[in-house]
Amino acid sequence: MLTPRHQALLMTLAGMTVGVAVFGTVLAINSHRDDDKRATDVVVSQTPSSPTPRGDGLQADSLQYTAQTFGTDRAPVTAEVPATWKATQDGQRPRFMDPTGVWQIRFDTRGSSKSPERQVSDRERSIKEKQLNVLSRDNGTLVYTYVDDTRGPRMGLSHWISTDNGESSALEITVGGRPQDEAALRAVLDRATKTLQLPDNRPN
């Protein structure tokens, strides 16, 4: 028969055993949670960031081109645009934009009785953007910069093409980007202009 002293000792040992078991369970749970947290952290840290344009500007020699046809079925127009720029609008006023949304080229094939010079003057007066600065307005081309509330400093080049010695405008091409992209924007505009084919298949 156990004496009161032995009974007390057994109860103490039993309490210690339960305590160790509970502590081990808590430690295992916390360790599992920590493992889950570390696993989550690893997944988050491996999430790729969105591509961002180079700060020194779009490089003209990095662009490859592909022919795009737009306009109408009865009066199709073809021109080459950067291959990775996708159509976001078609028809007579198609627009092609790069995946980041920084650069774009658009066409207006509807034509106008106004001369390219008149179109340049009218467009200059119609632009309502902040801090508008017209850089040049020569040869039917308006080059300008402005500041967009969301995207910051921007640059646009609008060019009108005539097929009747400047009496009217057959088509407009406008490219847009940032001021540091000017060389590449001019290259895109030049490529589209040189490869342009109007409904009679005559390049202009």
Side-chain angles (χ1 to χ4, degrees):
M1 184 174 179
L2 297 176
T3 65
R5 180 179 179 182
H6 288 162
Q7 291 178 353
L9 179 59
L10 287 176
M11 291 180 64
T12 300
L13 291 174
M16 291 176 64
T17 301
V18 172
V20 169
V22 171
F23 177 76
T25 302
V26 172
L27 183 62
I29 293 174
N30 288 338
S31 176
H32 181 69
R33 289 177 178 173
D34 289 342
D35 289 342
D36 288 344
K37 184 178 184 300
R38 284 193 293 271
T40 303
D41 290 343
V42 170
V43 171
V44 172
S45 65
Q46 291 176 345
T47 301
S49 59
S50 300
T52 56
R54 290 176 54 177
D56 55 352
L58 179 64
Q59 304 301 302
D61 58 4
S62 70
L63 296 172
Q64 295 182 336
Y65 295 86
T66 186
Q68 295 283 356
T69 300
F70 41 88
T72 65
D73 292 338
R74 297 184 60 183
V77 177
T78 299
E80 291 188 6
V81 305
T84 59
W85 297 14
K86 303 304 181 183
T88 60
Q89 185 174 316
D90 55 15
Q92 291 183 286
R93 302 183 68 187
R95 184 192 308 268
F96 301 89
M97 185 174 293
D98 84 286
T100 68
V102 175
W103 309 292
Q104 63 176 301
I105 181 171
R106 66 174 177 80
F107 301 82
D108 190 338
T109 67
R110 295 174 299 175
S112 170
S113 60
K114 298 179 182 179
S115 68
E117 287 70 24
R118 177 69 180 278
Q119 295 277 30
V120 168
S121 298
D122 288 352
R123 177 62 56 81
E124 180 181 350
R125 288 194 297 268
S126 70
I127 299 175
K128 304 301 181 183
E129 302 290 351
K130 294 180 179 179
Q131 300 182 38
L132 175 65
N133 180 28
V134 174
L135 303 180
S136 65
R137 50 175 71 82
D138 303 323
N139 302 316
T141 304
L142 180 67
V143 181
Y144 54 94
T145 61
Y146 61 94
V147 175
D148 181 87
D149 288 338
T150 302
R151 296 179 292 177
R154 300 288 295 172
M155 169 171 274
L157 296 85
S158 296
H159 178 59
W160 286 266
I161 295 171
S162 175
T163 57
D164 55 6
N165 297 317
E167 295 296 323
S168 64
S169 300
L171 183 139
E172 174 199 342
I173 306 174
T174 293
V175 295
R178 306 165 301 173
Q180 62 264 42
D181 304 320
E182 181 176 358
L185 295 178
R186 288 184 179 276
V188 170
L189 178 59
D190 185 63
R191 184 66 170 257
T193 302
K194 288 181 176 180
T195 60
L196 182 67
Q197 294 185 31
L198 294 177
D200 59 2
N201 294 322
R202 293 180 303 172
N204 291 269

